[in-house]
């Protein structure tokens, strides 16, 4: 894939905007003033480095933290960034430069509660996400996103990490009822990792200036290079201006804009009519397209001019399925932002790679045994692992004695299997309906492995695993299995049994089993 990238020329360095708030700039109205975070860890004397020890506990948060830190994505396009970039982004957090003015904005969470934040006028979406990640103690896996949501128009889009939030808000206008949401979006840069999942062969044509053919596996490079012209084509439904009817046309997306053919699938210039470009426009997803606009399917999106504030000015389009819609929206994002999207994708991983703070911390951790009269260092790795597992099991048993059913206290051993420790897990969403589960997974990214667990509405004693695979959401019932008085949970009619839901989730995060794919990303809701 990288062979074609040798000829790519990129000028200029990557703009650095990974800053945090301090000195009264960027303070939240509710939270206390955040402290300045040092760029380097506190210096330790040699003796302190040798003697600092911690006990290795079987805490589930350790697994979660390790996953987030070890999931750094290798750079698939090393030639795309100039040599100066890696050095220029080595500082993970930089203090804000003093702006000329500040402004108060509101950011909402999934529960529609909000926090008011005072920010500089040149604040970017990534800056705000970093602030809320720190303030809410979230795991920063680079999938947190700021969403521009228009309530009256019924549309929303992901604000790109580099975009100035104030520019977005000023474009919306004061008369529009728009909100900023802080939300997960696992699919934000997934097309850089698995481009063929986003661009099916029948929708893509790639030609160079010499009319040569480029392999579809190198599709992303053709969007980032100026010497090639990727072309997306296919049928879309379009709503006629000032009318309720929809018509189906053959559309072609090129660097110069979006066109539709007035004669079947002809691509001749005389048959192609201009529809929209993206210089002063953005691409939004349409919510409740059937109900609000009478669309033939729910897979609708639109092209909205920056200064547009009326639904009559939206250029509404509708695809026949989710994959087609995702292909069009992804291609439009790439044509609009180009190399900047790739820099947004690679920047956090470059920072994580050059940071040495984690290695220093790992080298200073020591597993210890406190069971005897004297503490001792556990030098055998196998013994240290067994101690960690035993700690986790001990914690689980204690939780079993405290909870049963859905939080009711338990006084007998027979009620131990009716665990409620899953209630505290971020992937468990309680009494969530099927439609609500599908909506939440769709919001947080239709990529393989996005999942959540919930109570079953049809059977109160069972649970449901909702999982995304191939951009489709599937639901699997988790049944209780009674074996000689002991209660287990199973996804495959009792062939594979688990003592609680946490053990079930951990197993399927490592093994696909009967599922179409492993569990990778859990849907999460936080309260700001």
């Amino acid at each position: 894939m990288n062979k074609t990238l040798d000829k790519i020329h990129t000028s200029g360095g990557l703009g650095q905007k990974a800053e945090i708030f301090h000195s009264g700039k960027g303070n939240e109205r509710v939270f206390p003033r955040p402290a300045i975070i040092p760029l380097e860890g506190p210096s330790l004397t040699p003796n302190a480095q040798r003697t600092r020890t911690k006990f290795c506990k079987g805490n589930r948060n350790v697994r979660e933290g390790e996953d987030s830190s070890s999931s750094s994505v290798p750079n698939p396009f090393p030639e795309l960034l100039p040599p100066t970039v890696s050095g220029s982004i080595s500082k993970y957090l930089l203090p804000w430069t003093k702006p000329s003015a500040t402004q108060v904005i509101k950011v909402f969470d999934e529960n529609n509660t909000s926090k008011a934040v005072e920010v500089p006028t040149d604040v970017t979406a990534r800056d705000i996400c970093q602030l809320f990640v720190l303030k809410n103690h979230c795991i920063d896996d680079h999938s947190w996103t700021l969403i521009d949501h228009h309530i009256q128009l019924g549309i929303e889009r992901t604000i790109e990490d580099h975009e100035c939030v104030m520019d977005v808000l000023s474009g919306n206008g004061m008369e529009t009822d728009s909100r900023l949401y802080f939300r997960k979006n696992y699919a934000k840069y997934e097309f850089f990792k698995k481009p063929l999942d986003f661009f099916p062969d029948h929708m893509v044509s790639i030609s160079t200036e010499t009319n040569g053919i480029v392999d579809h596996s190198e599709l992303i490079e053709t969007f980032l290079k100026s010497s090639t012209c990727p072309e997306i084509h296919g049928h879309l439904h379009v709503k006629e201006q000032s009318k309720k009817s929809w018509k189906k046309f053959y559309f072609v997306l090129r660097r110069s804009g979006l066109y539709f053919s007035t004669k079947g699938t002809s691509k001749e210039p005389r048959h192609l009519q201009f529809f929209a470009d993206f210089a002063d426009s953005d691409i939004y997803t349409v919510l409740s397209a059937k109900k609000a606009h009478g669309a033939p399917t729910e897979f609708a999106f639109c092209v909205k001019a920056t200064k547009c504030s009326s639904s009559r000015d939206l250029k509404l389009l509708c695809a026949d399925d989710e994959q087609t819609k995702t292909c069009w929206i992804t291609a439009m994002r790439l044509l609009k932002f180009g190399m900047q999207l790739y820099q947004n994708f690679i920047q956090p991983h470059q920072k994580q790679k050059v940071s040495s703070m984690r290695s220093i911390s790992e080298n200073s951790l020591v597993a210890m045994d406190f069971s005897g009269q004297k503490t001792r260092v556990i030098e055998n790795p196998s013994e240290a692992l067994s101690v960690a597992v035993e700690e986790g099991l001990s914690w689980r048993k204690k939780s079993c004695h405290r909870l049963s059913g859905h939080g009711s206290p338990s006084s007998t051993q027979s009620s131990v299997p009716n665990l409620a420790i899953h209630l505290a897990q971020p992937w468990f969403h309680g009494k969530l309906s099927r439609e609500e589960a599908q909506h939440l997974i769709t919001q947080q990214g239709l990529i393989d492995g996005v999942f959540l667990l919930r109570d079953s509405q049809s059977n109160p004693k069972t649970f449901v695993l909702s999982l995304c695979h191939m951009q489709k959401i599937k639901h699997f019932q988790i049944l209780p299995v009674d074996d000689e008085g002991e209660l287990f949970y199973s996804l495959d009619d009792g062939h594979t049994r688990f003592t609680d839901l946490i053990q079930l989730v951990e197993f399927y995060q490592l093994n696909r089993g009967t599922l179409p794919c492993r569990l990778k990303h859990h849907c999460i809701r936080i309260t700001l």
Side-chain angles (χ1 to χ4, degrees), residues 43-316:
S43 59
L44 298 176
T45 61
N47 291 334
Q49 293 179 0
R50 288 196 300 267
T51 58
R52 188 175 64 176
T53 58
K54 290 185 179 181
F55 180 59
C56 179
K57 294 185 178 181
N59 195 329
R60 300 183 188 278
N61 291 332
V62 174
R63 172 187 292 272
E64 190 175 8
E66 289 177 354
D67 290 344
S68 64
S69 62
S70 61
S71 61
S72 60
V73 180
N75 183 357
F77 315 133
E79 295 86 351
L80 287 180
L81 293 180
T84 57
V85 170
S86 61
S88 64
I89 61 178
S90 61
K91 296 180 180 179
Y92 185 68
L93 292 173
L94 300 176
W96 277 105
T97 56
K98 293 184 178 180
S100 57
T102 60
Q103 188 169 337
V104 176
I105 63 173
K106 275 188 177 182
V107 179
F108 290 79
D109 58 25
E110 297 286 354
N111 301 318
N112 287 323
T113 58
S114 64
K115 287 294 180 184
V117 185
E118 184 180 0
V119 296
T121 54
D122 60 348
V123 67
T124 65
R126 172 168 286 171
D127 296 332
I128 294 181
C129 288
Q130 283 292 319
L131 172 67
F132 282 104
V133 164
L134 293 172
K135 298 297 291 185
N136 292 277
H137 308 287
C138 304
I139 295 179
D140 188 11
D141 56 0
H142 317 304
S143 60
W144 291 103
T145 309
L146 206 61
I147 302 294
D148 180 27
H149 178 85
H150 294 255
I151 299 176
Q152 185 178 0
L153 299 180
I155 59 176
E156 67 179 25
R157 77 172 178 97
T158 296
I159 303 178
E160 305 298 347
D161 288 341
H162 69 278
E163 286 189 90
C164 179
V165 177
M166 294 308 171
D167 291 345
V168 175
L169 295 178
S170 63
N172 295 340
M174 298 300 295
E175 66 277 2
T176 60
D177 188 9
S178 62
R179 287 183 175 182
L180 296 177
Y181 278 90
F182 178 62
R183 183 189 300 164
K184 280 277 188 181
N185 184 4
Y186 293 108
K188 183 165 58 171
Y189 298 125
E190 189 71 10
F191 55 87
F192 283 117
K193 308 172 191 176
K194 299 178 179 179
L196 297 185
D197 292 349
F198 285 75
F199 298 99
D201 289 344
H202 67 277
M203 293 184 62
V204 182
S205 297
I206 310 174
S207 61
T208 62
E209 293 176 345
T210 57
N211 294 325
I213 302 300
V214 181
D215 194 316
H216 283 183
S217 63
E218 300 172 347
L219 174 65
I220 298 298
E221 291 93 313
T222 65
F223 279 102
L224 303 180
K225 294 190 298 185
S226 59
S227 60
T228 54
C229 180
E231 185 178 273
I232 307 298
H233 51 82
H235 286 91
L236 287 172
H237 303 271
V238 58
K239 186 176 182 180
E240 295 184 282
Q241 291 289 341
S242 304
K243 293 184 180 179
K244 294 184 178 180
S245 59
W246 291 74
K247 288 189 175 181
K248 198 170 187 178
F249 289 96
Y250 186 77
F251 278 81
V252 178
L253 177 64
R254 295 173 176 171
R255 288 199 180 276
S256 55
L258 182 64
Y259 302 84
F260 67 92
S261 178
T262 57
K263 188 175 181 180
T265 59
S266 173
K267 295 183 182 180
E268 294 185 20
R270 59 196 179 108
H271 295 147
L272 291 181
Q273 185 169 336
F274 177 79
F275 184 79
D277 61 14
F278 310 106
D280 297 316
S281 302
D282 295 294
I283 303 92
Y284 283 77
T285 297
V286 179
L287 309 176
S288 303
K290 283 186 175 181
K291 182 178 180 180
H293 303 283
T297 71
E298 289 291 356
F299 311 111
F301 58 101
C302 69
V303 180
K304 173 185 172 295
T306 304
K307 300 297 182 180
C308 167
S309 59
S310 172
S311 60
R312 292 174 298 179
D313 299 326
L314 300 178
K315 297 182 178 181
L316 296 169

Side-chain angles (χ1 to χ4, degrees), residues 40 82 119 123 125 134-135 161 166 243 260 265 276 286 300 310 334 356 371 428 435 461 464 475 478 486 488 505 526:
E40 303 292 341
V119 296
V123 67
L134 293 172
K135 298 297 291 185
D161 288 341
M166 294 308 171
K243 293 184 180 179
F260 67 92
T265 59
V286 179
S310 172
L334 278 167
S356 60
S371 60
F428 187 76
E435 292 74 19
K461 295 182 180 181
V464 177
H475 307 272
I478 303 174
E486 293 190 29
F488 299 92
V505 169
I526 67 166

